[in-house]
Amino acid sequence: MEVAAVLGRSVELQDWTAVCERWGVKPCTHLIGPLCDRELLQAEGVSGFRFSYASLQLALEKVARREGRLEAHHRACAAVLADVGQPERLAIHHLGAGDAELALEPLIEAAEQRISLGDFEHAERLIALWGEAMEAARHYVEDHRRTVGWTLLARIRRGQSRTAEAFELAQRAEQRARWSNDPRLIGEALVEMGLAARDLGDLGHALSCLTQAEVLLEVAKEARSLARSRLEAAAVLGDLGAFDDAWSRYDMARTFCEEAGDGIGMAEAIRGQGDLEIRRGDLELAMGLLNQARAEFEAVGYPQGAAGCHNSLGRLAQV
């Protein structure tokens, strides 16, 4: 039951079994029923259970710590969760095992996921935890990777409509990244600078930042960030009234994302072209593109994108 407690308040039987097998023991599944009868556990479907009281989970963790097994339990949990696509859980187990270096990448991935969901407070806590892990791994303030945290904080501040702060953070990240001469870090900071500049109304500066970012991210072969820089540059060109250039940039992004297997990016490009056609007055083409984009978003399971298409179609109906 120590292993179950280390896995968390809610436990999947598959995870529990896999971690126990790494220890060469069988999970004591025969205890689940009696413990549920005594309301110490709660069954969660047929595939898991939950500790009814946090105090019970913590007490089991305390025993593991006292007996010197806690770090090893966390390390075994991390090994089992390495490829299941749950970066936050993976990072917590790496930290619990004392492996701060291994926690850095999944913490950033988890923060990015939270930002994409609009959960900015949680994302900011994860970035703060990443900063602590950087310290624990002896990557101090002068380490150029600090720019990663500043760039993500800039995204959060934009999402919170704190645009001036977002620009300052992105600018700081870009300046520090240039010390490292790392095209990925410089390019990603420039993307955030460009987006903040657009929100501040400086479209010329926004386009300059995003165009520079494209060049650097292509050098870095950073596909996801490159696609984002192209999509955002196309949007700024549309804002500037350069509709033909914007269409071409969306087309370039669409082809790139399709070849890279990025369904969400491809759908974003199609939606951008649909919004562009609303401005140009070709409402029939706009409707076709927006419906196509919505279908693509639904196919890849991205409801936020489908909702954006629905909003654009609503605007189209009012034209």
PDB file of all heavy atoms in Angstrom, residues 83-117:
ATOM      1  N   ASP A  83       6.139   7.025 -20.293  1.00  0.00           N
ATOM      2  CA  ASP A  83       5.620   7.107 -21.668  1.00  0.00           C
ATOM      3  C   ASP A  83       4.097   7.162 -21.735  1.00  0.00           C
ATOM      4  O   ASP A  83       3.515   6.812 -22.769  1.00  0.00           O
ATOM      5  CB  ASP A  83       6.115   5.904 -22.486  1.00  0.00           C
ATOM      6  CG  ASP A  83       7.632   5.849 -22.570  1.00  0.00           C
ATOM      7  OD1 ASP A  83       8.240   6.905 -22.844  1.00  0.00           O
ATOM      8  OD2 ASP A  83       8.194   4.767 -22.349  1.00  0.00           O
ATOM      9  N   VAL A  84       3.445   7.622 -20.677  1.00  0.00           N
ATOM     10  CA  VAL A  84       1.979   7.606 -20.682  1.00  0.00           C
ATOM     11  C   VAL A  84       1.368   8.965 -20.951  1.00  0.00           C
ATOM     12  O   VAL A  84       0.154   9.124 -20.917  1.00  0.00           O
ATOM     13  CB  VAL A  84       1.421   7.025 -19.357  1.00  0.00           C
ATOM     14  CG1 VAL A  84       1.905   5.619 -19.130  1.00  0.00           C
ATOM     15  CG2 VAL A  84       1.772   7.921 -18.168  1.00  0.00           C
ATOM     16  N   GLY A  85       2.194   9.983 -21.222  1.00  0.00           N
ATOM     17  CA  GLY A  85       1.656  11.288 -21.581  1.00  0.00           C
ATOM     18  C   GLY A  85       1.059  12.073 -20.438  1.00  0.00           C
ATOM     19  O   GLY A  85       0.114  12.842 -20.632  1.00  0.00           O
ATOM     20  N   GLN A  86       1.596  11.899 -19.229  1.00  0.00           N
ATOM     21  CA  GLN A  86       1.138  12.675 -18.070  1.00  0.00           C
ATOM     22  C   GLN A  86       2.351  13.374 -17.457  1.00  0.00           C
ATOM     23  O   GLN A  86       2.870  12.952 -16.421  1.00  0.00           O
ATOM     24  CB  GLN A  86       0.456  11.754 -17.059  1.00  0.00           C
ATOM     25  CG  GLN A  86      -0.804  11.088 -17.597  1.00  0.00           C
ATOM     26  CD  GLN A  86      -1.473  10.212 -16.550  1.00  0.00           C
ATOM     27  OE1 GLN A  86      -1.538  10.534 -15.372  1.00  0.00           O
ATOM     28  NE2 GLN A  86      -1.985   9.081 -16.984  1.00  0.00           N
ATOM     29  N   PRO A  87       2.821  14.446 -18.092  1.00  0.00           N
ATOM     30  CA  PRO A  87       4.091  15.056 -17.682  1.00  0.00           C
ATOM     31  C   PRO A  87       4.097  15.604 -16.261  1.00  0.00           C
ATOM     32  O   PRO A  87       5.128  15.554 -15.593  1.00  0.00           O
ATOM     33  CB  PRO A  87       4.291  16.179 -18.706  1.00  0.00           C
ATOM     34  CG  PRO A  87       2.934  16.463 -19.250  1.00  0.00           C
ATOM     35  CD  PRO A  87       2.227  15.138 -19.253  1.00  0.00           C
ATOM     36  N   GLU A  88       2.967  16.094 -15.777  1.00  0.00           N
ATOM     37  CA  GLU A  88       2.968  16.645 -14.424  1.00  0.00           C
ATOM     38  C   GLU A  88       3.193  15.549 -13.389  1.00  0.00           C
ATOM     39  O   GLU A  88       4.009  15.705 -12.472  1.00  0.00           O
ATOM     40  CB  GLU A  88       1.656  17.387 -14.142  1.00  0.00           C
ATOM     41  CG  GLU A  88       1.655  18.084 -12.796  1.00  0.00           C
ATOM     42  CD  GLU A  88       0.460  19.001 -12.601  1.00  0.00           C
ATOM     43  OE1 GLU A  88      -0.231  19.308 -13.590  1.00  0.00           O
ATOM     44  OE2 GLU A  88       0.208  19.411 -11.453  1.00  0.00           O
ATOM     45  N   ARG A  89       2.493  14.434 -13.533  1.00  0.00           N
ATOM     46  CA  ARG A  89       2.696  13.316 -12.602  1.00  0.00           C
ATOM     47  C   ARG A  89       4.125  12.806 -12.687  1.00  0.00           C
ATOM     48  O   ARG A  89       4.754  12.515 -11.663  1.00  0.00           O
ATOM     49  CB  ARG A  89       1.727  12.181 -12.930  1.00  0.00           C
ATOM     50  CG  ARG A  89       0.277  12.433 -12.566  1.00  0.00           C
ATOM     51  CD  ARG A  89      -0.570  11.210 -12.855  1.00  0.00           C
ATOM     52  NE  ARG A  89      -0.231  10.098 -11.977  1.00  0.00           N
ATOM     53  CZ  ARG A  89      -0.555   8.825 -12.233  1.00  0.00           C
ATOM     54  NH1 ARG A  89      -1.173   8.514 -13.358  1.00  0.00           N
ATOM     55  NH2 ARG A  89      -0.235   7.878 -11.381  1.00  0.00           N
ATOM     56  N   LEU A  90       4.638  12.695 -13.909  1.00  0.00           N
ATOM     57  CA  LEU A  90       6.006  12.213 -14.089  1.00  0.00           C
ATOM     58  C   LEU A  90       6.998  13.130 -13.376  1.00  0.00           C
ATOM     59  O   LEU A  90       7.901  12.669 -12.665  1.00  0.00           O
ATOM     60  CB  LEU A  90       6.328  12.151 -15.582  1.00  0.00           C
ATOM     61  CG  LEU A  90       7.755  11.743 -15.964  1.00  0.00           C
ATOM     62  CD1 LEU A  90       8.075  10.353 -15.431  1.00  0.00           C
ATOM     63  CD2 LEU A  90       7.926  11.790 -17.480  1.00  0.00           C
ATOM     64  N   ALA A  91       6.808  14.444 -13.532  1.00  0.00           N
ATOM     65  CA  ALA A  91       7.719  15.406 -12.901  1.00  0.00           C
ATOM     66  C   ALA A  91       7.674  15.304 -11.385  1.00  0.00           C
ATOM     67  O   ALA A  91       8.726  15.350 -10.719  1.00  0.00           O
ATOM     68  CB  ALA A  91       7.359  16.828 -13.340  1.00  0.00           C
ATOM     69  N   ILE A  92       6.487  15.153 -10.823  1.00  0.00           N
ATOM     70  CA  ILE A  92       6.351  15.059  -9.366  1.00  0.00           C
ATOM     71  C   ILE A  92       7.116  13.847  -8.836  1.00  0.00           C
ATOM     72  O   ILE A  92       7.780  13.918  -7.794  1.00  0.00           O
ATOM     73  CB  ILE A  92       4.864  14.986  -8.965  1.00  0.00           C
ATOM     74  CG1 ILE A  92       4.143  16.296  -9.315  1.00  0.00           C
ATOM     75  CG2 ILE A  92       4.720  14.680  -7.481  1.00  0.00           C
ATOM     76  CD1 ILE A  92       4.743  17.538  -8.684  1.00  0.00           C
ATOM     77  N   HIS A  93       7.052  12.746  -9.568  1.00  0.00           N
ATOM     78  CA  HIS A  93       7.775  11.547  -9.119  1.00  0.00           C
ATOM     79  C   HIS A  93       9.285  11.718  -9.279  1.00  0.00           C
ATOM     80  O   HIS A  93      10.052  11.257  -8.420  1.00  0.00           O
ATOM     81  CB  HIS A  93       7.275  10.313  -9.856  1.00  0.00           C
ATOM     82  CG  HIS A  93       5.906   9.879  -9.422  1.00  0.00           C
ATOM     83  ND1 HIS A  93       5.613   9.559  -8.120  1.00  0.00           N
ATOM     84  CD2 HIS A  93       4.740   9.740 -10.118  1.00  0.00           C
ATOM     85  CE1 HIS A  93       4.334   9.224  -8.031  1.00  0.00           C
ATOM     86  NE2 HIS A  93       3.784   9.330  -9.226  1.00  0.00           N
ATOM     87  N   HIS A  94       9.713  12.368 -10.341  1.00  0.00           N
ATOM     88  CA  HIS A  94      11.154  12.642 -10.480  1.00  0.00           C
ATOM     89  C   HIS A  94      11.642  13.511  -9.313  1.00  0.00           C
ATOM     90  O   HIS A  94      12.707  13.262  -8.741  1.00  0.00           O
ATOM     91  CB  HIS A  94      11.443  13.360 -11.799  1.00  0.00           C
ATOM     92  CG  HIS A  94      11.501  12.467 -12.990  1.00  0.00           C
ATOM     93  ND1 HIS A  94      12.155  11.244 -12.975  1.00  0.00           N
ATOM     94  CD2 HIS A  94      10.996  12.615 -14.251  1.00  0.00           C
ATOM     95  CE1 HIS A  94      12.052  10.681 -14.172  1.00  0.00           C
ATOM     96  NE2 HIS A  94      11.365  11.485 -14.961  1.00  0.00           N
ATOM     97  N   LEU A  95      10.846  14.516  -8.954  1.00  0.00           N
ATOM     98  CA  LEU A  95      11.233  15.384  -7.834  1.00  0.00           C
ATOM     99  C   LEU A  95      11.246  14.593  -6.530  1.00  0.00           C
ATOM    100  O   LEU A  95      12.151  14.751  -5.701  1.00  0.00           O
ATOM    101  CB  LEU A  95      10.268  16.565  -7.734  1.00  0.00           C
ATOM    102  CG  LEU A  95      10.366  17.599  -8.865  1.00  0.00           C
ATOM    103  CD1 LEU A  95       9.232  18.616  -8.741  1.00  0.00           C
ATOM    104  CD2 LEU A  95      11.715  18.310  -8.842  1.00  0.00           C
ATOM    105  N   GLY A  96      10.240  13.735  -6.351  1.00  0.00           N
ATOM    106  CA  GLY A  96      10.182  12.920  -5.143  1.00  0.00           C
ATOM    107  C   GLY A  96      11.350  11.969  -5.033  1.00  0.00           C
ATOM    108  O   GLY A  96      11.782  11.608  -3.928  1.00  0.00           O
ATOM    109  N   ALA A  97      11.885  11.563  -6.206  1.00  0.00           N
ATOM    110  CA  ALA A  97      13.041  10.662  -6.219  1.00  0.00           C
ATOM    111  C   ALA A  97      14.353  11.421  -6.060  1.00  0.00           C
ATOM    112  O   ALA A  97      15.412  10.806  -5.989  1.00  0.00           O
ATOM    113  CB  ALA A  97      13.060   9.871  -7.524  1.00  0.00           C
ATOM    114  N   GLY A  98      14.275  12.750  -6.005  1.00  0.00           N
ATOM    115  CA  GLY A  98      15.490  13.553  -5.907  1.00  0.00           C
ATOM    116  C   GLY A  98      16.188  13.766  -7.235  1.00  0.00           C
ATOM    117  O   GLY A  98      17.350  14.185  -7.272  1.00  0.00           O
ATOM    118  N   ASP A  99      15.473  13.479  -8.345  1.00  0.00           N
ATOM    119  CA  ASP A  99      16.053  13.610  -9.685  1.00  0.00           C
ATOM    120  C   ASP A  99      15.563  14.905 -10.328  1.00  0.00           C
ATOM    121  O   ASP A  99      14.772  14.890 -11.289  1.00  0.00           O
ATOM    122  CB  ASP A  99      15.674  12.399 -10.550  1.00  0.00           C
ATOM    123  CG  ASP A  99      16.202  11.090  -9.982  1.00  0.00           C
ATOM    124  OD1 ASP A  99      17.287  11.116  -9.373  1.00  0.00           O
ATOM    125  OD2 ASP A  99      15.529  10.058 -10.136  1.00  0.00           O
ATOM    126  N   ALA A 100      16.023  16.044  -9.807  1.00  0.00           N
ATOM    127  CA  ALA A 100      15.543  17.344 -10.273  1.00  0.00           C
ATOM    128  C   ALA A 100      15.807  17.563 -11.758  1.00  0.00           C
ATOM    129  O   ALA A 100      14.959  18.116 -12.471  1.00  0.00           O
ATOM    130  CB  ALA A 100      16.187  18.463  -9.452  1.00  0.00           C
ATOM    131  N   GLU A 101      16.948  17.128 -12.242  1.00  0.00           N
ATOM    132  CA  GLU A 101      17.292  17.313 -13.662  1.00  0.00           C
ATOM    133  C   GLU A 101      16.256  16.653 -14.562  1.00  0.00           C
ATOM    134  O   GLU A 101      15.837  17.227 -15.582  1.00  0.00           O
ATOM    135  CB  GLU A 101      18.676  16.745 -13.939  1.00  0.00           C
ATOM    136  CG  GLU A 101      19.182  16.954 -15.357  1.00  0.00           C
ATOM    137  CD  GLU A 101      19.606  18.387 -15.617  1.00  0.00           C
ATOM    138  OE1 GLU A 101      20.255  18.997 -14.748  1.00  0.00           O
ATOM    139  OE2 GLU A 101      19.283  18.897 -16.712  1.00  0.00           O
ATOM    140  N   LEU A 102      15.828  15.451 -14.190  1.00  0.00           N
ATOM    141  CA  LEU A 102      14.860  14.716 -15.006  1.00  0.00           C
ATOM    142  C   LEU A 102      13.474  15.353 -14.955  1.00  0.00           C
ATOM    143  O   LEU A 102      12.646  15.113 -15.839  1.00  0.00           O
ATOM    144  CB  LEU A 102      14.770  13.262 -14.536  1.00  0.00           C
ATOM    145  CG  LEU A 102      16.038  12.423 -14.699  1.00  0.00           C
ATOM    146  CD1 LEU A 102      15.820  11.025 -14.126  1.00  0.00           C
ATOM    147  CD2 LEU A 102      16.448  12.347 -16.163  1.00  0.00           C
ATOM    148  N   ALA A 103      13.201  16.158 -13.935  1.00  0.00           N
ATOM    149  CA  ALA A 103      11.886  16.788 -13.794  1.00  0.00           C
ATOM    150  C   ALA A 103      11.730  18.024 -14.662  1.00  0.00           C
ATOM    151  O   ALA A 103      10.606  18.466 -14.914  1.00  0.00           O
ATOM    152  CB  ALA A 103      11.647  17.164 -12.328  1.00  0.00           C
ATOM    153  N   LEU A 104      12.835  18.593 -15.148  1.00  0.00           N
ATOM    154  CA  LEU A 104      12.776  19.894 -15.831  1.00  0.00           C
ATOM    155  C   LEU A 104      11.915  19.853 -17.091  1.00  0.00           C
ATOM    156  O   LEU A 104      11.003  20.679 -17.253  1.00  0.00           O
ATOM    157  CB  LEU A 104      14.185  20.370 -16.169  1.00  0.00           C
ATOM    158  CG  LEU A 104      15.080  20.683 -14.965  1.00  0.00           C
ATOM    159  CD1 LEU A 104      16.492  21.002 -15.433  1.00  0.00           C
ATOM    160  CD2 LEU A 104      14.511  21.832 -14.144  1.00  0.00           C
ATOM    161  N   GLU A 105      12.184  18.923 -17.966  1.00  0.00           N
ATOM    162  CA  GLU A 105      11.446  18.879 -19.241  1.00  0.00           C
ATOM    163  C   GLU A 105       9.963  18.585 -19.047  1.00  0.00           C
ATOM    164  O   GLU A 105       9.113  19.288 -19.622  1.00  0.00           O
ATOM    165  CB  GLU A 105      12.087  17.856 -20.182  1.00  0.00           C
ATOM    166  CG  GLU A 105      11.490  17.871 -21.573  1.00  0.00           C
ATOM    167  CD  GLU A 105      12.233  16.956 -22.541  1.00  0.00           C
ATOM    168  OE1 GLU A 105      13.434  16.699 -22.308  1.00  0.00           O
ATOM    169  OE2 GLU A 105      11.615  16.498 -23.511  1.00  0.00           O
ATOM    170  N   PRO A 106       9.576  17.571 -18.248  1.00  0.00           N
ATOM    171  CA  PRO A 106       8.133  17.347 -18.062  1.00  0.00           C
ATOM    172  C   PRO A 106       7.422  18.492 -17.354  1.00  0.00           C
ATOM    173  O   PRO A 106       6.235  18.727 -17.604  1.00  0.00           O
ATOM    174  CB  PRO A 106       8.057  16.046 -17.253  1.00  0.00           C
ATOM    175  CG  PRO A 106       9.424  15.795 -16.724  1.00  0.00           C
ATOM    176  CD  PRO A 106      10.372  16.463 -17.670  1.00  0.00           C
ATOM    177  N   LEU A 107       8.104  19.238 -16.483  1.00  0.00           N
ATOM    178  CA  LEU A 107       7.465  20.392 -15.851  1.00  0.00           C
ATOM    179  C   LEU A 107       7.119  21.461 -16.887  1.00  0.00           C
ATOM    180  O   LEU A 107       6.027  22.057 -16.843  1.00  0.00           O
ATOM    181  CB  LEU A 107       8.373  20.985 -14.766  1.00  0.00           C
ATOM    182  CG  LEU A 107       8.366  20.262 -13.421  1.00  0.00           C
ATOM    183  CD1 LEU A 107       9.487  20.803 -12.531  1.00  0.00           C
ATOM    184  CD2 LEU A 107       7.012  20.413 -12.717  1.00  0.00           C
ATOM    185  N   ILE A 108       8.019  21.707 -17.821  1.00  0.00           N
ATOM    186  CA  ILE A 108       7.745  22.674 -18.879  1.00  0.00           C
ATOM    187  C   ILE A 108       6.602  22.183 -19.759  1.00  0.00           C
ATOM    188  O   ILE A 108       5.691  22.949 -20.119  1.00  0.00           O
ATOM    189  CB  ILE A 108       9.012  22.938 -19.717  1.00  0.00           C
ATOM    190  CG1 ILE A 108      10.026  23.730 -18.893  1.00  0.00           C
ATOM    191  CG2 ILE A 108       8.669  23.684 -21.004  1.00  0.00           C
ATOM    192  CD1 ILE A 108       9.566  25.108 -18.456  1.00  0.00           C
ATOM    193  N   GLU A 109       6.624  20.907 -20.102  1.00  0.00           N
ATOM    194  CA  GLU A 109       5.546  20.336 -20.924  1.00  0.00           C
ATOM    195  C   GLU A 109       4.204  20.454 -20.212  1.00  0.00           C
ATOM    196  O   GLU A 109       3.185  20.809 -20.827  1.00  0.00           O
ATOM    197  CB  GLU A 109       5.854  18.875 -21.247  1.00  0.00           C
ATOM    198  CG  GLU A 109       4.856  18.241 -22.195  1.00  0.00           C
ATOM    199  CD  GLU A 109       5.169  16.782 -22.493  1.00  0.00           C
ATOM    200  OE1 GLU A 109       6.274  16.317 -22.135  1.00  0.00           O
ATOM    201  OE2 GLU A 109       4.298  16.112 -23.085  1.00  0.00           O
ATOM    202  N   ALA A 110       4.193  20.173 -18.908  1.00  0.00           N
ATOM    203  CA  ALA A 110       2.954  20.276 -18.139  1.00  0.00           C
ATOM    204  C   ALA A 110       2.469  21.716 -18.078  1.00  0.00           C
ATOM    205  O   ALA A 110       1.261  21.985 -18.192  1.00  0.00           O
ATOM    206  CB  ALA A 110       3.179  19.731 -16.728  1.00  0.00           C
ATOM    207  N   ALA A 111       3.393  22.666 -17.907  1.00  0.00           N
ATOM    208  CA  ALA A 111       3.014  24.085 -17.874  1.00  0.00           C
ATOM    209  C   ALA A 111       2.411  24.499 -19.211  1.00  0.00           C
ATOM    210  O   ALA A 111       1.400  25.225 -19.258  1.00  0.00           O
ATOM    211  CB  ALA A 111       4.224  24.948 -17.536  1.00  0.00           C
ATOM    212  N   GLU A 112       2.994  24.051 -20.322  1.00  0.00           N
ATOM    213  CA  GLU A 112       2.466  24.381 -21.648  1.00  0.00           C
ATOM    214  C   GLU A 112       1.060  23.824 -21.822  1.00  0.00           C
ATOM    215  O   GLU A 112       0.185  24.485 -22.396  1.00  0.00           O
ATOM    216  CB  GLU A 112       3.393  23.826 -22.730  1.00  0.00           C
ATOM    217  CG  GLU A 112       4.717  24.577 -22.839  1.00  0.00           C
ATOM    218  CD  GLU A 112       5.660  23.960 -23.850  1.00  0.00           C
ATOM    219  OE1 GLU A 112       5.535  22.740 -24.100  1.00  0.00           O
ATOM    220  OE2 GLU A 112       6.519  24.682 -24.381  1.00  0.00           O
ATOM    221  N   GLN A 113       0.823  22.613 -21.322  1.00  0.00           N
ATOM    222  CA  GLN A 113      -0.518  22.033 -21.405  1.00  0.00           C
ATOM    223  C   GLN A 113      -1.522  22.876 -20.632  1.00  0.00           C
ATOM    224  O   GLN A 113      -2.640  23.137 -21.105  1.00  0.00           O
ATOM    225  CB  GLN A 113      -0.508  20.603 -20.862  1.00  0.00           C
ATOM    226  CG  GLN A 113       0.173  19.595 -21.765  1.00  0.00           C
ATOM    227  CD  GLN A 113       0.131  18.190 -21.201  1.00  0.00           C
ATOM    228  OE1 GLN A 113      -0.324  17.950 -20.076  1.00  0.00           O
ATOM    229  NE2 GLN A 113       0.612  17.217 -21.965  1.00  0.00           N
ATOM    230  N   ARG A 114      -1.137  23.311 -19.442  1.00  0.00           N
ATOM    231  CA  ARG A 114      -2.041  24.120 -18.630  1.00  0.00           C
ATOM    232  C   ARG A 114      -2.329  25.464 -19.293  1.00  0.00           C
ATOM    233  O   ARG A 114      -3.448  25.974 -19.237  1.00  0.00           O
ATOM    234  CB  ARG A 114      -1.442  24.337 -17.238  1.00  0.00           C
ATOM    235  CG  ARG A 114      -1.393  23.082 -16.392  1.00  0.00           C
ATOM    236  CD  ARG A 114      -2.777  22.634 -15.980  1.00  0.00           C
ATOM    237  NE  ARG A 114      -2.730  21.394 -15.199  1.00  0.00           N
ATOM    238  CZ  ARG A 114      -3.793  20.848 -14.620  1.00  0.00           C
ATOM    239  NH1 ARG A 114      -4.976  21.416 -14.740  1.00  0.00           N
ATOM    240  NH2 ARG A 114      -3.677  19.727 -13.936  1.00  0.00           N
ATOM    241  N   ILE A 115      -1.317  26.053 -19.910  1.00  0.00           N
ATOM    242  CA  ILE A 115      -1.521  27.326 -20.614  1.00  0.00           C
ATOM    243  C   ILE A 115      -2.507  27.139 -21.753  1.00  0.00           C
ATOM    244  O   ILE A 115      -3.412  27.967 -21.956  1.00  0.00           O
ATOM    245  CB  ILE A 115      -0.173  27.873 -21.142  1.00  0.00           C
ATOM    246  CG1 ILE A 115       0.714  28.321 -19.976  1.00  0.00           C
ATOM    247  CG2 ILE A 115      -0.411  29.053 -22.094  1.00  0.00           C
ATOM    248  CD1 ILE A 115       2.147  28.650 -20.378  1.00  0.00           C
ATOM    249  N   SER A 116      -2.360  26.052 -22.506  1.00  0.00           N
ATOM    250  CA  SER A 116      -3.267  25.812 -23.641  1.00  0.00           C
ATOM    251  C   SER A 116      -4.714  25.626 -23.180  1.00  0.00           C
ATOM    252  O   SER A 116      -5.650  25.903 -23.925  1.00  0.00           O
ATOM    253  CB  SER A 116      -2.812  24.582 -24.434  1.00  0.00           C
ATOM    254  OG  SER A 116      -3.002  23.390 -23.693  1.00  0.00           O
ATOM    255  N   LEU A 117      -4.893  25.189 -21.930  1.00  0.00           N
ATOM    256  CA  LEU A 117      -6.239  25.026 -21.366  1.00  0.00           C
ATOM    257  C   LEU A 117      -6.743  26.300 -20.688  1.00  0.00           C
ATOM    258  O   LEU A 117      -7.870  26.333 -20.198  1.00  0.00           O
ATOM    259  CB  LEU A 117      -6.243  23.872 -20.352  1.00  0.00           C
ATOM    260  CG  LEU A 117      -5.971  22.473 -20.924  1.00  0.00           C
ATOM    261  CD1 LEU A 117      -5.773  21.476 -19.785  1.00  0.00           C
ATOM    262  CD2 LEU A 117      -7.118  22.037 -21.825  1.00  0.00           C
TER     263      LEU A 117
END
